[in-house]
Amino acid sequence: MKLIEQAVREGRSSLSEYESKQLLSHFGIPVTREVLIHDIKELGAAAREIGYPLVLKGCSPDVRHKSEKGLIRMDIRNDREAERAFEEIVRTMNGQAGSILIQEMIRGQRELVVGLIRDPQFGPCVMFGLGGIFTEILKDVSFRMAPLEKKDALEMMKEIKGRRILEAVRGLEPVDLDALVDILISVGRIGLEHDAIKEIDLNPVIISGTRPIVVDALVILN
């Protein structure tokens, strides 16, 4: 894929969030609707295209852990809030190269993580587990070597301790497991087809209604 080849030629160690999601979309993985802008003059048109409420993020291949660096503003509800958020993020980036990602606000009470690591012995391995802050706290994850079949993906879902989060609980509908299976299989395909990719981190994958949507994504290159 051209964006991976270009990043490798430029000697970069990762794709930006926007580029990572373009890669995911190419493989049919559902991601947030979003627009990348480079100037505040583009903000109004981007906001109208996506629609309020919005999320604004600093976006650069050199920026990881955006939350810790204060580069995310959520639940932006009008033009005035959007302009203020844009200016705050640009100030926080302090001249660092990058753009601003205008993203739809996805709401959901369940967050998952999907990832990929390239193991020296086993090759690309797909990871699935609880997402958001629970990824680091609980480390409730399951791994499989790629390629995955549907039965592998379903087994991974059953192996995590928090598997009931996928069921109908507390008035929430059961998660669309077929959609989740497709994401896990596709992440494995990406690892098999692109040797330049070292890691993939999709966290969180938010369950909106019944369907999983990738809200944040990071692709690390070899």
Side-chain angles (χ1 to χ4, degrees):
M1 201 174 174
K2 286 183 179 178
L3 63 87
I4 297 175
E5 295 169 0
Q6 182 176 344
V8 170
R9 279 198 302 273
E10 293 173 355
R12 288 159 46 186
S13 62
S14 63
L15 301 181
S16 71
E17 178 180 343
Y18 184 69
E19 292 170 327
S20 299
K21 287 179 177 169
Q22 286 183 308
L23 172 66
L24 299 175
S25 292
H26 180 74
F27 280 82
I29 297 174
V31 302
T32 46
R33 291 183 302 113
E34 53 196 37
V35 175
L36 189 67
I37 66 172
H38 310 281
D39 191 289
I40 198 167
K41 294 176 183 175
E42 304 170 87
L43 180 57
R48 285 191 293 275
E49 179 177 338
I50 302 299
Y52 292 106
L54 294 171
V55 176
L56 269 64
K57 297 178 177 177
C59 184
S60 165
D62 300 323
V63 173
R64 301 178 189 177
H65 309 298
K66 292 183 286 290
S67 296
E68 291 87 337
K69 294 178 180 175
L71 295 176
I72 299 178
R73 299 291 184 277
M74 300 178 66
D75 202 16
I76 305 298
R77 293 181 170 271
N78 52 53
D79 291 353
R80 186 175 178 181
E81 289 182 11
E83 289 172 8
R84 187 187 309 131
F86 184 99
E87 290 168 350
E88 288 173 354
I89 292 173
V90 169
R91 271 200 306 275
T92 304
M93 293 179 81
N94 195 26
Q96 188 172 16
S99 305
I100 305 297
L101 198 56
I102 312 300
Q103 188 178 99
E104 68 174 321
M105 179 91 183
I106 298 294
R107 299 185 188 279
Q109 299 181 44
R110 293 173 286 187
E111 296 187 356
L112 304 172
V113 62
V114 176
L116 179 132
I117 59 168
R118 190 172 299 280
D119 183 87
Q121 183 175 358
F122 299 111
C125 296
V126 178
M127 182 264 287
F128 170 77
L130 296 183
I133 61 172
F134 295 112
T135 303
E136 294 182 13
I137 295 172
L138 300 179
K139 301 186 187 305
D140 187 10
V141 294
S142 175
F143 285 89
R144 281 292 187 287
M145 288 171 52
L148 268 66
E149 296 182 358
K150 182 173 182 177
K151 66 179 180 60
D152 301 314
L154 290 171
E155 284 175 2
M156 293 173 73
M157 297 175 203
K158 291 177 182 174
E159 285 174 0
I160 64 169
K161 296 185 178 95
R163 55 188 171 274
R164 284 204 61 207
I165 198 173
L166 305 176
E167 301 174 359
V169 291
R170 290 183 170 268
L172 299 172
E173 296 180 81
V175 174
D176 183 340
L177 296 186
D178 286 336
L180 206 49
V181 164
D182 289 342
I183 292 175
L184 293 172
I185 291 175
S186 296
V187 167
R189 278 185 55 208
I190 295 173
L192 289 170
E193 294 181 18
H194 295 286
D195 292 337
I197 293 177
K198 181 181 179 184
E199 296 177 21
I200 298 174
D201 184 22
L202 313 183
N203 190 13
V205 177
I206 293 182
I207 306 302
S208 177
T210 63
R211 303 205 70 245
I213 299 176
V214 177
V215 172
D216 204 345
L218 175 65
V219 173
I220 306 292
L221 303 173
N222 281 314

